[in-house]
C-alpha cells in the first residue's frame, strides 16, 4: 500500500510552470550528476506530510518531570526510592491551559528519563508510579497529560529514554525487547501521539554494560502504531540543531546530505519508506550549501528542532528560583529559532507540586503578549504591493495571511511595497512554501531613502518555513525584497513588515 507520508516521486503541477514537476522527500545523487543536476534535485526535496505538519507547530513545550524533580538531580542514578515521587497538587490541565494561552501547539512529556522511573504503570517494571505514594500507587501521569492535551486540542508527544540506569537487562539483547514493550504501551494506550523523541545518551546500566540500541526496530514500531508521528531527534524526521540554547544557524538548511543511506534503496520510482536517520549532524556551521551538497550521496529533508529550558536545569530545582528566562529573553530565542527555519522546543519543568510555577507562568504569558504586540499589525497590509508581470491581486498573495497561497518568482523579480505615507519598521518576515522546496540562498530587504536611492535594511541567506530579520528601525515610503540567489525559482508564501 502506498504510504502517503513518504512518496518519493510525488508529481504536482507547479504554479510557475505548465509541466509537471517531481518532488522527493529524499533523492539519490549520481556520479554523473553535474552541479546543475544536483541543484535541481536539491530544489525538489520537500517535507513529508508529517514533517510539514510538525514544522507549522513552531512552538512545542517539553516537560521534564519525574524522580529528579524531587531529588534535585538532573540525571538520576536509577537507585532513587520511588517514594520520592509525590506531587502534592498535580494538575496536567493547568499545564495545558497555560501552554494554550502562551500559544504553544504541542506538549512532549518525559515518560521515562535515564533513571528508568516510569510515569505510567508499566506492566514490564515496578520501578514506576506504582511504587509511589502519589494517589496510593494508582496514578498515571502519562494518562492525565495525554487526556488534557487531547481535550484541549494540543498535540501530545512522548520522550522515552533509551538509556536506563535501573533496568537489569540493559546492555543485553533482551533490553531492546523490554524497550519495545514499553514503547508499545505508550503508543497504544494513550490515544494519538504526534511526536516520539529519542536521544542518543548511552551510558552504563546497573550491570556496568552499555546498550546497542535497535533504532531501526524502534522506528518501525512507531511507524506501524502511530504513522503520523514525527520521530526526533535520533530519528529520521527531525534533527537536533546542535546546542541546548535554542539557537539555530544563521543559515539553516532543511535539505541536507545523507551519506549513510544506500542510494540503491531510493531509486527514482521507489516507494521505500525512509527509516534510517540521516547522518548525524550536530554542530557543523554549514549543513547544506552548494559546496556541501555537491559531494553528497543522497539528499533528504531533515529539519531542525532547537531545544532550551526556561530554567537553568531541565528538571525543577529549588536552587533555580529567580532564574527563569524573561519574556524578552524568550523573544530573542524565538527570533533565533523559529525565525531561522527551526521549531522551538521550550522545556518548562513542573515543580514539586506538579504544576507550572508562578515564575514560569508569568514569563510564558508575557512571551505571548510580546509576540502578539510585535506581530499584531503587518504594515504591508496598508501598502500597494507590486511584482513585475503579476496582477495586483496575484501580488497580494504574498501578504494575505494565508500560507497556502503565494507566488513563484522568476529570476530578477522583486516584491515591492509602496505606502502613501511613510511607515517605520524594524522586523521583516519571509516564508517559503516548503511543499515546493527550500530554495532561497540569499536575499535582502531594501528601502528607498529620502534622496531617492535604495539602501539595504537587512540581509539574509536561507528562508525556509520562516525567516525573521530584526534590524535598526527604518522609515520610508517604499521597500522591496530582492532575492539574489536561489535554487531555481523560489516560492514565496508570506511576507511581513512590523
Amino acid at each position: 500500500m502506498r504510504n502517503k507520508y513518504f512518496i518519493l516521486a510525488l508529481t504536482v503541477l507547479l504554479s510557475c510552470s505548465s509541466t509537471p514537476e517531481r518532488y522527493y522527500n529524499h533523492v539519490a545523487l549520481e556520479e554523473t550528476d553535474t552541479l546543475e543536476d544536483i541543484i535541481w534535485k536539491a530544489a525538489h526535496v520537500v517535507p513529508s506530510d508529517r514533517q510539514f505538519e510538525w514544522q507549522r507547530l513552531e512552538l512545542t513545550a517539553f516537560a521534564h518531570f519525574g524522580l529528579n524533580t524531587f531529588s534535585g538531580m538532573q540525571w538520576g542514578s536509577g537507585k532513587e526510592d520511588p517514594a520520592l515521587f509525590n506531587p502534592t497538587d498535580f494538575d496536567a490541565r493547568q499545564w495545558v491551559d497555560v501552554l494554550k494561552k502562551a500559544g504553544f501547539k504541542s506538549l512532549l512529556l518525559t515518560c521515562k528519563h535515564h533513571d528508568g522511573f516510569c510515569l505510567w504503570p508499566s506492566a514490564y517494571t515496578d520501578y514506576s508510579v506504582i511504587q509511589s505514594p502519589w494517589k496510593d500507587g494508582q496514578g498515571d501521569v502519562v494518562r492525565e497529560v495525554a487526556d488534557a492535551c487531547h481535550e484541549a486540542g494540543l498535540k501530545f508527544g512522548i520522550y522515552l529514554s533509551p538509556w536506563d540506569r535501573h533496568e537489569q537487562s540493559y546492555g543485553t539483547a533482551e533490553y531492546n525487547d523490554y524497550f519495545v514493550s514499553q514503547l508499545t504501551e505508550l503508543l497504544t494506550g494513550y490515544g494519538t501521539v504526534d511526536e516520539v523523541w529519542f536521544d542518543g545518551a548511552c551510558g552504563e546500566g546497573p550491570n556496568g554494560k552499555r546498550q546497542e540500541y535497535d533504532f531501526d526496530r524502534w522506528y518501525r514500531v512507531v511507524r506501524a502504531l502511530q504513522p503520523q508521528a514525527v520521530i526526533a531527534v535520533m530519528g529520521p524526521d527531525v534533527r537536533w540543531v546542535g546546542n541546548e540554547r535554542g539557537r539555530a544557524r544563521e543559515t539553516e538548511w532543511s535539505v541536507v546530505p545523507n551519506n549513510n543511506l544506500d542510494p540503491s534503496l531510493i531509486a527514482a520510482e521507489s516507494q521505500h519508506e525512509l527509516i534510517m536517520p540521516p547522518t548525524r549532524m550536530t554542530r557543523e556551521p554549514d549543513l547544506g550549501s552548494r559546496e556541501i551538497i555537491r559531494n553528497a550521496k543522497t539528499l533528504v529533508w531533515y529539519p531542525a528542532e532547537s531545544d532550551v529550558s526556561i530554567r537553568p536545569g531541565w528538571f525543577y530545582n529549588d536552587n533555580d528560583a529567580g532564574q527563569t528566562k524573561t519574556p524578552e529573553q524568550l523573544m530573542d530565542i524565538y527570533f533565533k529559532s523559529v525565525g531561522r527555519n527551526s521549531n522551538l522546543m521550550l522545556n518548562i519543568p513542573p515543580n514539586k507540586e506538579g504544576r507550572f510555577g508562578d515564575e514560569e507562568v508569568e514569563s510564558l504569558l508575557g512571551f505571548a503578549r510580546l509576540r502578539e504586540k510585535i506581530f499584531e499589525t503587518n504594515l504591508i497590509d496598508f501598502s500597494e504591493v507590486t511584482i513585475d508581470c503579476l496582477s495586483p491581486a496575484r501580488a497580494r498573495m504574498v501578504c494575505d495571511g494565508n500560507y497556502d497561497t503565494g507566488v513563484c518568482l522568476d529570476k530578477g523579480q522583486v516584491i515591492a511595497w509602496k505606502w502613501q505615507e511613510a511607515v517605520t519598521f524594524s522586523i521583516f518576515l519571509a516564508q517559503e512554501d516548503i511543499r515546493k522546496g527550500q530554495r532561497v540562498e540569499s536575499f535582502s530587504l531594501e528601502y528607498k531613502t529620502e534622496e531617492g536611492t535604495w539602501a539595504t535594511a537587512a540581509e539574509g541567506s536561507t528562508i525556509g518555513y520562516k525567516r525573521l530579520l530584526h534590524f535598526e528601525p527604518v522609515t520610508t515610503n517604499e521597500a522591496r525584497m530582492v532575492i539574489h540567489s536561489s535554487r531555481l525559482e523560489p516560492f514565496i508564501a508570506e511576507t511581513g513588515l512590523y
Side-chain angles (χ1 to χ4, degrees), residues 48-289:
S48 66
D49 289 352
R50 63 170 75 88
Q51 288 173 317
F52 179 66
E53 291 304 317
W54 171 87
Q55 189 83 59
R56 300 192 78 168
L57 298 176
E58 295 192 4
L59 295 174
T60 293
F62 209 173
H64 276 65
F65 190 52
L67 285 177
N68 293 340
T69 305
F70 302 88
S71 69
M73 301 174 67
Q74 292 297 316
W75 282 13
S77 66
K79 299 177 182 179
E80 291 79 17
D81 187 345
L84 281 175
F85 186 81
N86 192 20
T88 56
D89 191 21
F90 176 76
D91 189 353
R93 287 174 176 78
Q94 184 251 3
W95 304 4
V96 169
D97 181 61
V98 171
L99 292 175
K100 288 206 70 173
K101 290 178 180 177
F104 284 72
K105 303 296 179 59
S106 181
L107 171 59
L108 193 82
L109 175 68
T110 55
C111 301
K112 182 188 80 167
H113 204 253
H114 307 327
D115 51 47
F117 180 79
C118 299
L119 292 182
W120 79 102
S122 173
Y124 300 93
T125 181
D126 60 0
Y127 196 59
S128 73
V129 288
I130 292 174
Q131 293 195 55
S132 163
W134 177 63
K135 294 193 173 183
D136 296 323
Q138 302 301 308
D140 186 339
V141 174
V142 180
R143 169 73 59 206
E144 296 197 32
V145 173
D147 288 350
C149 287
H150 295 145
E151 289 169 8
L154 208 67
K155 291 188 180 294
F156 172 65
I158 62 169
Y159 164 70
L160 188 65
S161 171
W163 184 18
D164 192 317
R165 304 183 75 181
H166 177 83
E167 171 56 36
Q168 292 298 317
S169 68
Y170 185 85
T172 71
E174 287 72 27
Y175 177 75
N176 283 315
D177 295 332
Y178 172 84
F179 191 88
V180 165
S181 295
Q182 291 197 322
L183 182 61
T184 300
E185 286 182 318
L186 293 172
L187 296 177
T188 57
Y190 297 93
T192 301
V193 175
D194 299 288
E195 181 167 354
V196 179
W197 209 91
F198 300 128
D199 59 19
C202 185
E204 293 182 352
N207 52 16
K209 297 180 180 178
R210 293 178 183 270
Q211 183 69 36
E212 184 175 340
Y213 299 146
D214 192 353
F215 280 115
D216 182 77
R217 180 183 174 193
W218 303 350
Y219 300 157
R220 294 184 186 280
V221 171
V222 177
R223 289 287 192 255
L225 299 178
Q226 297 280 351
Q228 78 293 330
V230 294
I231 307 174
V233 292
M234 285 293 292
D237 297 318
V238 176
R239 63 179 165 86
W240 182 46
V241 77
N243 63 73
E244 293 184 346
R245 296 179 293 110
R247 281 154 170 79
R249 297 163 180 78
E250 290 272 1
T251 299
E252 194 68 71
W253 284 103
S254 295
V255 180
V256 296
N258 180 28
N259 294 330
N260 67 344
L261 187 67
D262 184 352
S264 67
L265 295 178
I266 54 173
E269 300 303 322
S270 171
Q271 299 303 314
H272 176 71
E273 167 86 83
L274 181 60
I275 289 293
M276 181 182 295
T279 307
R280 188 176 184 187
M281 301 169 217
T282 53
R283 306 180 192 279
E284 295 90 341
D286 179 6
L287 298 185
S289 69

